[in-house]
């Protein structure tokens, strides 16, 4: 048996141990098929040792999802036949990506290259709006990241499809940057930070070619979130400062408000309560000054409003251990959230539950946590981790109580969480 040196090197490039690769493959299968994976350390050892030369089925799909490349690029023999998608969830994903790749033919079959125009850009914008909608419903899943990446590649393929004015070319580059920034956000939300950084670099290059300050703001704002979740508050603050120094924050108070609110969340994570409180006050003032009818990018209109400001304040005050103020912002957020923002609702509810628990309101905290949908509680990586932390904290605050037993029973029977 020949050792698979290619796979070993790809793992080294990502800093993955055998156990970590198995974990990522299982997470990928959960996202793709809707069912938890059963990849073990032994599976990975067989892949590395050469005992498995031609992975098939779930193993193949998990490997390709983790490394974002076909099997042949990982040192394996290609499968003799391509098995169909495993279940309706995955089948819908493959159909969706196929539809994206059929956006437009690369070149006409006869004659001169086609001329790109406004209709091509509008089709890209409609697909981008679809990505935004999926993110607000689900968030963090590999299928969203992969679809956004495929659409970015299709947007770039348009550049080779024919001639276009400089204005249209810039808009196509901006659309590609927008798709890449959505892939970046999905990776951040799914705690796949290496992948997020890779998408960030690609998005930044495309945004520069587009010369679009709005998408630059989005990318740097996402970078702030990525660094904050990675425990790098100095880098988070620096990234947010880049976004806040763009001219659009002086032109539109909504951009100024978002930048200040995110700055407040960073100060909260860093333990600076005074700076956080000041940032949120300024953010609120800026939002109140904004013209609600002014034209803004679809991605901004889709998520930033009073509810998001309160969500960021909830995050900051939880970090500062000001649990009463955190809970107040949490309730305001939940009351104002738009119905389609299911992911945001689950995250805010989990944080409210934690704030209640830390104030000794065990029954209220339990009711809040148990109200989260099974879909979010078992399939959204960030919510899964937050609820696990809630359960651990509940065991510390109320060990052996009826509340702790109720929570354990709920997670086992209602959500059927994988061990």
């Amino acid at each position: 048996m020949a050792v698979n040196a290619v796979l070993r090197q790809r793992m080294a490039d990502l800093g993955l141990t055998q156990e970590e690769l198995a974990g990522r493959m299982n997470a990928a299968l959960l996202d793709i098929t809707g069912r938890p994976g059963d990849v073990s350390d032994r599976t990975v050892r067989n892949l590395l040792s050469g005992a498995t030369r031609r992975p098939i089925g779930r193993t193949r799909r998990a490997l390709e999802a983790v490394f974002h490349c076909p099997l042949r690029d990982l040192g394996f023999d290609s499968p003799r036949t391509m098995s169909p998608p495993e279940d309706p969830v995955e089948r819908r994903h493959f159909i969706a990506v196929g539809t994206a790749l059929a956006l437009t033919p690369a070149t006409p079959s006869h004659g001169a290259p086609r001329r790109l125009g406004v209709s091509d850009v509008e089709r890209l914008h409609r697909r981008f709006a679809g990505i935004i909608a999926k993110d607000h419903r689900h968030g963090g899943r590999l299928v969203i990241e992969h679809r956004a990446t495929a659409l970015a590649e299709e947007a770039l393929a348009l550049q080779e499809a024919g001639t276009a004015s400089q204005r249209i070319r810039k808009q196509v580059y901006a659309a590609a940057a927008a798709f890449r920034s959505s892939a970046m956000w999905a990776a951040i939300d799914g705690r796949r930070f290496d992948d997020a950084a890779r998408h960030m670099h690609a998005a930044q290059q495309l945004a520069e070619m587009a010369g679009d300050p709005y998408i630059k703001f989005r990318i740097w704002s996402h970078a702030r979130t990525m660094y904050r979740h990675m425990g790098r508050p100095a880098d988070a603050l620096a990234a947010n400062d880049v976004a806040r120094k763009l001219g659009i924050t002086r032109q539109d108070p909504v951009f100024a408000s978002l930048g200040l609110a995110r700055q407040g969340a960073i100060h909260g994570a860093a333990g600076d309560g005074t700076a956080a409180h000041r940032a949120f006050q300024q953010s609120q003032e800026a939002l109140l000054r904004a013209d609600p009818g002014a034209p803004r990018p679809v991605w901004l209109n889709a998520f930033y409003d009073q509810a998001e400001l309160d969500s960021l304040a909830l995050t900051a005050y939880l970090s500062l251990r000001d649990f009463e103020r955190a809970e107040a912002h949490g309730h305001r957020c939940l009351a104002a959230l738009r119905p389609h923002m299911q992911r945001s609702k689950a995250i805010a509810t989990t944080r409210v539950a934690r704030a209640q628990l830390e104030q000794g309101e065990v029954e209220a905290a339990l009711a809040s946590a148990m109200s989260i949908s099974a879909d979010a509680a078992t399939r959204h990586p960030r919510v899964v981790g937050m609820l696990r932390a809630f359960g651990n904290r509940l065991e510390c605050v109320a060990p052996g109580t009826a509340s702790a037993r109720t929570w354990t029973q709920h997670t086992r029977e209602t959500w059927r969480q994988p061990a």
Side-chain angles (χ1 to χ4, degrees), residues 2-18:
V3 173
N4 190 329
V6 177
L7 178 61
R8 188 178 298 279
Q9 183 59 52
R10 294 296 295 269
M11 289 173 61
D13 291 343
L14 295 180
L16 294 176
T17 65
Q18 293 181 20

Side-chain angles (χ1 to χ4, degrees), residues 123-141:
R123 279 196 295 273
L124 290 171
H125 288 172
R126 287 195 294 272
R127 283 163 172 80
F128 181 57
I131 288 288
I132 296 294
K134 287 180 182 295
D135 175 69
H136 286 309
R137 284 197 301 271
H138 308 296
R141 296 182 184 174

Side-chain angles (χ1 to χ4, degrees), residues 270-352:
D272 190 340
T274 300
H277 187 63
R278 181 171 58 249
F280 284 118
Q281 282 186 322
Q282 293 172 344
S283 175
Q284 186 68 72
E285 292 167 1
L287 189 60
L288 292 173
R289 291 197 307 271
D291 175 5
R296 297 184 178 94
V298 63
W299 58 264
L300 184 68
N301 289 331
F303 89 100
Y304 191 65
D305 53 14
Q306 184 65 55
E308 178 65 13
L309 195 162
D310 282 309
S311 176
L312 289 165
L314 163 61
T315 302
Y317 288 117
L318 269 181
S319 298
L320 292 165
R321 301 187 65 78
D322 187 344
F323 300 118
E324 183 176 354
R325 184 172 291 178
E327 183 183 0
H329 279 288
H331 288 306
R332 285 181 58 184
C333 168
L334 291 170
L337 268 178
R338 284 168 276 182
H340 69 277
M341 302 186 75
Q342 294 302 308
R343 179 203 60 195
S344 296
K345 180 181 178 181
I347 290 172
T349 302
T350 306
R351 287 176 174 153
V352 166

Side-chain angles (χ1 to χ4, degrees), residues 75-412:
F76 294 107
D77 299 332
S78 297
R80 292 188 180 91
T81 58
M82 298 296 288
S83 56
E86 187 164 289
D87 64 15
V89 173
E90 189 177 6
R91 184 160 52 253
R92 286 194 299 272
H93 165 57
F94 276 87
I95 292 171
V97 172
T99 301
L101 294 176
L103 181 63
T104 187
T107 57
S109 56
H110 299 287
R114 62 187 293 270
R115 178 91 175 164
L116 304 183
V118 173
S119 62
D120 296 293
V121 174
E122 289 177 345
R123 279 196 295 273
L124 290 171
H125 288 172
R126 287 195 294 272
R127 283 163 172 80
F128 181 57
I131 288 288
I132 296 294
K134 287 180 182 295
D135 175 69
H136 286 309
R137 284 197 301 271
H138 308 296
R141 296 182 184 174
L142 276 168
V143 291
I144 297 175
E145 180 186 346
H146 290 173
R147 176 158 169 75
T149 302
L151 287 170
E153 293 170 353
E154 181 60 32
L156 291 177
L158 277 176
Q159 299 286 16
E160 307 299 326
T163 60
S165 67
Q166 184 180 22
R167 179 177 65 86
I168 291 296
R169 288 209 181 277
K170 284 182 174 291
Q171 291 180 4
V172 173
Y173 278 126
F179 287 129
R180 273 288 192 170
S181 68
S182 285
M184 175 188 176
W185 179 251
I188 292 169
D189 215 19
R191 296 300 189 266
R192 300 181 294 275
F193 297 124
D194 289 341
D195 293 336
R198 179 172 55 82
H199 291 305
M200 177 182 72
H201 296 316
Q204 287 170 336
Q205 291 177 340
L206 293 166
E208 288 298 327
M209 288 189 282
D212 187 329
Y214 298 102
I215 200 59
K216 288 180 183 179
F217 183 96
R218 188 182 197 227
I219 294 164
W220 282 107
S221 293
H222 286 351
R224 172 219 65 108
T225 303
M226 179 179 74
Y227 290 131
R228 181 171 64 85
H229 287 314
M230 293 172 71
R232 295 163 55 179
D235 289 337
L237 193 59
N240 198 60
D241 282 344
V242 174
R244 292 184 60 224
K245 288 176 182 176
L246 292 168
I248 55 175
T249 62
R250 296 185 294 275
Q251 299 163 10
D252 189 338
V254 172
F255 283 96
S257 175
L258 176 55
L260 285 162
R262 287 177 163 168
Q263 187 178 44
I266 297 167
H267 287 314
D272 190 340
T274 300
H277 187 63
R278 181 171 58 249
F280 284 118
Q281 282 186 322
Q282 293 172 344
S283 175
Q284 186 68 72
E285 292 167 1
L287 189 60
L288 292 173
R289 291 197 307 271
D291 175 5
R296 297 184 178 94
V298 63
W299 58 264
L300 184 68
N301 289 331
F303 89 100
Y304 191 65
D305 53 14
Q306 184 65 55
E308 178 65 13
L309 195 162
D310 282 309
S311 176
L312 289 165
L314 163 61
T315 302
Y317 288 117
L318 269 181
S319 298
L320 292 165
R321 301 187 65 78
D322 187 344
F323 300 118
E324 183 176 354
R325 184 172 291 178
E327 183 183 0
H329 279 288
H331 288 306
R332 285 181 58 184
C333 168
L334 291 170
L337 268 178
R338 284 168 276 182
H340 69 277
M341 302 186 75
Q342 294 302 308
R343 179 203 60 195
S344 296
K345 180 181 178 181
I347 290 172
T349 302
T350 306
R351 287 176 174 153
V352 166
R354 183 62 180 267
Q356 292 169 327
L357 183 63
E358 297 296 347
Q359 294 175 82
E361 301 171 5
V362 178
E363 294 303 319
L366 195 61
S368 295
M370 291 171 62
S371 72
I372 296 167
S373 71
D375 182 67
T378 58
R379 299 192 64 193
H380 190 291
R382 198 186 333 175
V383 178
V384 170
M386 292 167 66
L387 287 172
R388 186 177 296 116
F390 172 84
N392 292 339
R393 185 60 179 155
L394 178 62
E395 282 294 337
C396 293
V397 171
T401 62
S403 295
R405 291 192 296 272
T406 298
W407 175 253
T408 299
Q409 182 178 3
H410 180 76
T411 58
R412 287 177 179 172

Side-chain angles (χ1 to χ4, degrees), residues 35-99:
R35 300 201 300 273
D38 56 359
V39 178
S40 65
D41 295 357
R42 183 186 181 113
T43 305
V44 177
R45 282 196 299 273
N46 288 338
L47 294 169
L48 286 168
S49 69
T52 302
R53 291 299 309 157
R54 185 178 281 110
I56 61 174
R58 289 162 64 85
T59 303
R60 172 180 62 81
R61 285 188 282 276
L63 282 168
E64 292 179 338
V66 170
F67 292 102
H68 306 293
C69 65
L71 281 180
R72 62 178 178 273
D73 293 345
L74 297 173
F76 294 107
D77 299 332
S78 297
R80 292 188 180 91
T81 58
M82 298 296 288
S83 56
E86 187 164 289
D87 64 15
V89 173
E90 189 177 6
R91 184 160 52 253
R92 286 194 299 272
H93 165 57
F94 276 87
I95 292 171
V97 172
T99 301

